[in-house]
Amino acid sequence: MEALLDLLRGTVTSPWVYVVIFGLTAVDGFFPAVPGEAAVITAAVLSADGGHPNLVLVIVGAALGALVGDHISYAIGRGGGAKRLARLPDGSRRQASSEWARRAVDRRGGLILTTSRYVPGGRTAVTLTMGAVRYPRRAFLLYDSIATVTWALYCGLLGYFGGLAFERDPVRGVLVGVGLSLIITFGLEGIRWLRRRAHRRAASRH
């Protein structure tokens, strides 16, 4: 985190800061170990402390980077994953799982894609799967655009208002912003888990 903050601080008044944000969020789309979300929140915190970098450009760069990264992940899944699924033996457990994933994506692909964008690691699994089952490209672009724009707004505003609250201590503002992001993410996952549990209980009664 400190190394990332130092990198962004070193380019905070330079146009290169937006290239860094774009690159980190793009790579994060298919390689979740890269802290794209933390980079956006960090840049937004710094923008609250003096107006550099520009918050709007931070959000735009993050959204474009995330969109490109998700499409790279989709392409990887469509290339390698689709071929592997085609070679699965009939009646195997893996084939049954892939068919279940295909049906789930066909029915609720947009909802799955937009919500998974807020789950680090989970979004990569979803975009890879959607590529592997050959989810329509146009629909993927539409829903992924919604997902990446709302995600970039969420991270940018979270960091910006956190930065205003901690104007004299931007490091603490970054930590609070990332912490709130994690709380919201795990909260959403908790709600989804409770809903799945309720559905299973309802199904078992019938």
Side-chain angles (χ1 to χ4, degrees):
M1 177 65 73
E2 287 294 337
L4 174 62
L5 187 57
D6 289 341
L7 174 63
L8 290 174
R9 275 178 170 165
T11 58
V12 70
T13 58
S14 166
W16 285 105
V17 68
Y18 308 111
V19 176
V20 171
I21 292 168
F22 175 88
L24 288 173
T25 53
V27 176
D28 182 42
F30 58 92
F31 187 63
V34 175
E37 196 165 54
V40 180
I41 294 173
T42 299
V45 169
L46 295 174
S47 74
D49 184 23
H52 295 288
N54 182 281
L55 179 63
V56 174
L57 294 180
V58 167
I59 292 173
V60 170
L64 290 175
L67 187 68
V68 169
D70 286 352
H71 275 73
I72 292 174
S73 178
Y74 174 89
I76 293 171
R78 192 178 179 93
K83 293 178 181 178
R84 290 183 180 180
L85 292 180
R87 291 198 297 265
L88 292 176
D90 294 337
S92 67
R93 184 173 299 179
R94 287 187 177 181
Q95 187 193 50
S97 297
S98 70
E99 288 300 321
W100 175 87
R102 190 189 305 273
R103 290 192 299 270
V105 165
D106 286 340
R107 290 195 301 266
R108 300 183 295 276
L111 179 62
I112 293 172
L113 181 58
T114 53
T115 55
S116 68
R117 166 51 40 191
Y118 296 85
V119 183
R123 53 183 173 245
T124 304
V126 168
T127 51
L128 283 170
T129 300
M130 295 182 88
V133 302
R134 296 189 177 278
Y135 189 75
R137 290 181 186 272
R138 289 185 179 181
F140 183 84
L141 174 61
L142 171 64
Y143 288 116
D144 197 46
S145 297
I146 296 171
T148 53
V149 169
T150 56
W151 171 82
L153 282 168
Y154 154 72
C155 292
L157 295 177
L158 187 66
Y160 181 78
F161 288 112
L164 289 178
F166 298 95
E167 188 172 357
R168 296 184 179 179
D169 191 354
V171 174
R172 185 174 296 179
V174 170
L175 294 177
V176 170
V178 173
L180 286 173
S181 171
L182 291 174
I183 290 171
I184 293 171
T185 297
F186 283 113
L188 289 172
E189 281 300 290
I191 292 171
R192 291 174 60 192
W193 179 81
L194 289 173
R195 289 181 63 183
R196 287 196 300 268
R197 185 178 179 184
H199 284 313
R200 285 197 298 267
R201 284 184 175 180
S204 63
R205 291 173 183 173
H206 294 292

